[in-house]
Amino acid sequence: MCGIVAYIGNKKCKSILINGLKRLEYRGYDSAGIAILSPVQNEKFEKTGKPRFQIKVEKEAGKIKVLEDLVKNIDMDGFCGIGHTRWATHGEPSKVNAHPHFDCTEKIAVVHNGIIENYSEIKEELIQKGHKFISQTDTEVLPHLLEEYLKSENIGDLQLAMHKLLKKIRGSGAIVAISTDFPEEIVAGRIASPLIVGTSKDENFFASDMPAVLEHTHNFIVINDFETVRITRNKVEIFNSDCKLIEREPFKVSWSIESAEKGGYEDFMLKEIFEQPYGVKETMRGRLLDGALNFDELNISEEQIKNLKKIQIIACGTSYHAALTGKLLIEKWAKIPVEVDFSSEYRYRSPIVDKNCLFVAITQSGETIDTLAAIREAKSKNARVVAITNVVGSTVARESDSVIYTHAGPEIGVCATKTFSSQLIVMYLMALYFAKVKGFVDGVDYDKIIKEIKSIPDKIQTILDNAEKIKNIADETYKHTCFLFLGRIYGFPMSLEGALKLKEISYIHAEGYPAGEMKHGPIALTDTKTVVVGLIPRDFIYEKMISNLQEVKARNATIFAIITEDDKNISRYANYTFEIPKTIEELYGILEVVPLQLYAYYIAKNHNRNVDQPRNLAKSVTVE
Ligand code: G6P
């Protein structure tokens, strides 16, 4: 997710934009830029008496400090401008891909946060009409579209052109534009990405996030989907999806900048857990089109998929648990054998890999050194390498043959939460795609699975709406000294993830286990100080899970069961239950992991841990 700040008012805005961008630095970014409307110097306009404007732009890859130093001695001051920190989605992080982007005439500048799904077809249309593009971004089509509407179609109004643009694009976007022909306004539109207006006396702002402008105003207006907005120095005009002017009063926030960075949540980890409905939607975006699956980015022909002898997945930490889920689904739906290894083990165990093997590396950071080393090993043996990562332009992305970006947005908490649910979505979609190509899934099943995948964001939201229940269970159980997480089949990787989350942030001993293995060792651990967290969805292995629970119940452990809604049966065995919405058995994992993340979070908070930066851990592990 990129950061946006825009200003129009009675102050010179260069430093307002730079400071606003600095306030957004906490979100992570890879490049930044600003564009300011400035009057052309030394020109006389006897006819109109008004100056002619030009847009002065500066952008750079890297830290905002680099941009700040760059613009320090450049004369680019004006009273209206836009700024952007980029978190790359299309095209590597670089100066040319940094925002703002321009139309052909350099009269319109645009910043954008989101993903334009149909940008290639729009780009093609625009190229036919003579437009020239210089970046690899999806965003660059936006100023060109505005140019087209304003010039060729004679729409004499920037806000109307923005309205038309919103109808043309598919995907997500908070889009903000300035134009030399409309020097006294800034126009914006929104589909699915956050956009707010900050309003104050004689000045107004756009921002993706409150911290960007909180030092100037505490009065905000939230912009909704398909609305367009025009701000001038002393007016805010909001237009609904039918382009009708509507009224909306600003609300006042009393947040400090620090709490605003966390969106009002206590920690980034909690914020990121709550961002998952949005994150997984972004992961699906462009890949699930009207029921059809699009995986062009894999860059593998259907013939190659049909001929695959084996898929090898490697990963570390939380990503490894997504890999285990991928194996279950690819083998079940697409019937391709899958091996899963820890990256750190892989290259030391004489693996069998060749050109008929698809090698999939999962890594949220894209920088994990063990994963990188395993990729290099596989490439040296001619395997085709696909990376699944959240960070565009990361080393793993650059060294792989193709990349699937999870698009979960920057994750600041050290332990992975929203990047994990996004990895699971990629696993679901990829397994289904392979099954479809191989003809192993019929129309009815396929439609049903797609429908269920599409319903995941809402189901995660339902779970989050009940977070308080998990908190209460954590408040009552946090003093226990041993936590065993039990699951079977699709629940097993989630039991590992639940235990890992708890270990990482609470420093309490926890283990994830396949429930059937309990009796071969871990059951010896269970006593009154143990909590057993059982994942017991209503699936084909439900009865067996109940037997496994009874075994630990008999040893006086406290039982916390994650169950399917309306399952009244389990309360006989469990001390605590938490209900998750119904889905198909293959997809329960993603719904189970959300309460597990919350449980780990609330237990850690009871122990006063720093959940965003747990001891001894790093977000990006670049040493072996
Ligand atoms: C670190 C992080 C974990 C992450 C693991 C693997 O240990 O703290 O959250 O799961 O690295 O990272 P990767 O970027 O390869 O997914």
Side-chain angles (χ1 to χ4, degrees):
M1 284 203 296
C2 307
I4 289 175
V5 58
Y7 175 86
I8 186 160
N10 56 4
K11 297 185 192 124
K12 290 191 171 177
C13 70
K14 185 167 75 178
S15 60
I16 295 175
L17 296 176
I18 293 287
N19 288 338
L21 295 182
K22 280 175 150 173
R23 293 289 183 200
L24 297 175
E25 260 185 314
Y26 71 94
R27 300 151 53 107
Y29 60 89
D30 50 57
S31 48
I34 57 172
I36 295 176
L37 276 170
S38 308
V40 178
Q41 299 294 321
N42 305 324
E43 271 196 356
K44 286 206 178 105
F45 285 87
E46 277 94 22
K47 268 192 197 155
T48 60
K50 288 185 180 166
R52 197 163 59 91
F53 280 85
Q54 62 186 341
I55 296 177
K56 291 193 173 171
V57 64
E58 290 298 336
K59 45 191 190 175
E60 251 333 315
K63 291 189 183 301
I64 313 266
K65 180 83 177 74
V66 180
L67 180 70
E68 186 179 21
D69 289 346
L70 180 77
V71 300
K72 204 171 272 166
N73 300 317
I74 296 180
D75 170 27
M76 57 184 308
D77 247 333
F79 299 88
C80 170
I82 56 179
H84 188 266
T85 51
R86 180 168 184 251
W87 169 261
T89 58
H90 292 76
E92 55 174 21
S94 64
K95 181 170 177 162
V96 70
N97 287 335
H99 300 209
H101 287 284
F102 284 88
D103 65 323
C104 293
T105 59
E106 301 198 349
K107 287 179 132 198
I108 302 168
V110 167
V111 292
H112 164 231
N113 168 14
I115 300 170
I116 314 287
E117 286 170 12
N118 54 340
Y119 85 99
S120 345
E121 57 193 74
I122 296 176
K123 195 166 177 175
E124 204 40 54
E125 275 173 34
L126 289 165
I127 288 171
Q128 298 298 323
K129 291 180 178 162
H131 290 257
K132 293 210 162 42
F133 292 86
I134 55 170
S135 79
Q136 303 158 302
T137 64
D138 52 343
T139 301
E140 202 183 358
V141 300
L142 302 174
H144 286 266
L145 266 181
L146 290 174
E147 178 191 9
E148 197 58 30
Y149 296 153
L150 289 165
K151 278 278 188 52
S152 319
E153 300 188 18
N154 254 332
I155 298 181
D157 183 312
L158 191 56
Q159 176 270 326
L160 276 179
M162 181 65 80
H163 173 74
K164 184 155 183 185
L165 179 145
L166 288 194
K167 303 246 158 190
K168 172 83 177 171
I169 58 168
R170 270 201 323 266
S172 59
I175 305 158
V176 181
I178 51 173
S179 160
T180 54
D181 290 334
F182 304 92
E184 276 156 29
E185 64 187 57
I186 309 179
V187 155
R190 170 200 151 136
I191 311 177
S193 299
L195 179 67
I196 48 170
V197 173
T199 173
S200 184
K201 189 171 171 342
D202 287 333
E203 55 185 10
N204 287 307
F205 305 81
F206 282 118
S208 51
D209 252 348
M210 288 179 197
V213 297
L214 215 49
E215 63 185 286
H216 306 285
T217 181
H218 280 71
N219 297 318
F220 291 99
I221 303 172
V222 172
I223 304 308
N224 298 325
D225 282 352
F226 296 100
E227 289 177 347
T228 49
V229 191
R230 182 193 345 256
I231 58 172
T232 63
R233 178 186 283 221
N234 42 31
K235 208 157 55 173
V236 177
E237 292 176 307
I238 304 172
F239 300 83
N240 69 10
S241 56
D242 296 326
C243 214
K244 297 239 157 51
L245 190 62
I246 52 171
E247 292 285 319
R248 188 169 301 146
E249 286 302 312
F251 61 91
K252 211 174 175 70
V253 296
S254 52
W255 287 348
S256 66
I257 288 178
E258 205 210 3
S259 66
E261 284 177 350
K262 293 176 184 156
Y265 291 99
E266 232 177 291
D267 314 271
F268 283 113
M269 180 182 174
L270 192 61
K271 175 172 180 259
E272 284 153 8
I273 291 173
F274 274 81
E275 279 172 350
Q276 290 179 107
Y278 177 75
V280 297
K281 253 192 219 160
E282 287 299 290
T283 313
M284 291 179 207
R285 201 175 287 292
R287 294 171 178 140
L288 258 180
L289 301 171
D290 303 325
L293 274 173
N294 173 7
F295 257 109
D296 289 351
E297 58 209 316
L298 264 177
N299 249 327
I300 310 174
S301 69
E302 297 202 346
E303 215 38 49
Q304 284 171 309
I305 291 172
K306 286 179 189 156
N307 290 332
L308 281 177
K309 296 278 175 288
K310 186 175 97 172
I311 295 178
Q312 169 75 56
I313 316 183
I314 53 122
C316 300
T318 292
S319 301
Y320 177 77
H321 305 145
L324 292 177
T325 303
K327 171 185 167 73
L328 293 168
L329 290 174
I330 295 170
E331 289 189 341
K332 178 165 187 196
W333 287 343
K335 308 197 189 323
I336 306 170
V338 182
E339 272 183 51
V340 177
D341 277 81
F342 286 113
S343 312
S344 51
E345 290 283 288
Y346 178 76
R347 71 196 154 119
Y348 298 114
R349 73 155 176 90
S350 317
I352 298 165
V353 58
D354 59 25
K355 64 178 174 26
N356 296 317
C357 168
L358 182 66
F359 189 90
V360 179
I362 310 180
T363 161
Q364 50 85 23
S365 66
E367 299 296 344
T368 306
I369 196 75
D370 285 319
T371 301
L372 203 54
I375 288 174
R376 288 173 183 158
E377 169 83 18
K379 282 193 88 169
S380 74
K381 294 187 173 148
N382 301 318
R384 191 185 164 78
V385 177
V386 176
I388 298 172
T389 184
N390 199 40
V391 182
V392 175
S394 53
T395 314
V396 164
R398 289 199 309 271
E399 294 204 10
S400 301
D401 297 305
S402 40
V403 191
I404 298 169
Y405 289 113
T406 43
H407 295 319
E411 192 174 63
I412 294 162
V414 162
C415 69
T417 52
K418 66 174 180 173
T419 51
F420 179 60
S421 46
S422 287
Q423 288 169 349
L424 289 176
I425 295 287
V426 171
M427 290 289 103
Y428 298 162
L429 297 180
M430 205 160 105
L432 190 58
Y433 177 69
F434 289 157
K436 182 85 176 163
V437 170
K438 294 195 75 181
F440 286 137
V441 59
D442 69 24
V444 179
D445 279 346
Y446 178 80
D447 291 347
K448 188 172 165 204
I449 297 169
I450 294 272
K451 188 169 154 255
E452 283 299 325
I453 294 176
K454 280 188 172 165
S455 72
I456 284 172
D458 287 344
K459 289 179 179 169
I460 293 180
Q461 190 57 54
T462 307
I463 294 168
L464 295 171
D465 292 343
N466 287 304
E468 198 60 26
K469 288 187 189 161
I470 300 278
K471 182 179 181 304
N472 293 339
I473 300 170
D475 290 349
E476 288 185 25
T477 52
Y478 75 96
K479 285 189 180 148
H480 287 70
T481 51
C482 174
F483 288 73
L484 292 176
F485 291 75
L486 303 183
R488 296 190 75 145
I489 315 297
Y490 307 106
F492 170 52
M494 301 309 128
S495 71
L496 294 176
E497 179 58 10
L500 181 64
K501 284 286 88 79
L502 188 67
K503 273 184 259 205
E504 283 181 307
I505 57 171
S506 72
Y507 321 145
I508 299 172
H509 176 72
E511 283 194 50
Y513 242 81
E517 281 293 296
M518 273 296 283
K519 52 190 167 297
H520 301 294
I523 202 159
L525 291 172
T526 52
D527 61 17
T528 50
K529 295 196 197 85
T530 309
V531 174
V532 172
V533 183
L535 307 177
I536 320 179
R538 276 267 185 200
D539 60 6
F540 70 102
I541 208 145
Y542 175 77
E543 302 292 341
K544 300 241 181 269
M545 268 303 296
I546 291 185
S547 314
N548 297 140
L549 267 201
Q550 280 170 323
E551 289 159 14
V552 287
K553 173 96 180 149
R555 271 89 187 166
N556 298 321
T558 297
I559 297 179
F560 167 26
I562 310 256
I563 59 175
T564 309
E565 59 191 337
D566 298 330
D567 183 351
K568 304 290 173 228
N569 193 21
I570 307 290
S571 41
R572 277 190 282 156
Y573 314 102
N575 304 72
Y576 304 97
T577 55
F578 181 82
E579 296 187 3
I580 56 173
K582 281 198 185 78
T583 186
I584 52 174
E585 63 190 34
E586 295 91 336
L587 305 187
Y588 270 118
I590 197 164
L591 301 183
E592 288 164 351
V593 81
V594 180
L596 296 183
Q597 294 165 343
L598 287 167
Y599 189 52
Y601 172 83
Y602 289 122
I603 287 185
K605 291 302 281 186
N606 268 301
H607 287 280
N608 286 322
R609 306 293 190 219
N610 178 345
V611 295
D612 285 339
Q613 288 172 332
R615 71 181 183 201
N616 308 336
L617 298 178
K619 185 86 197 144
S620 199
V621 182
T622 52
V623 289
E624 236 194 286

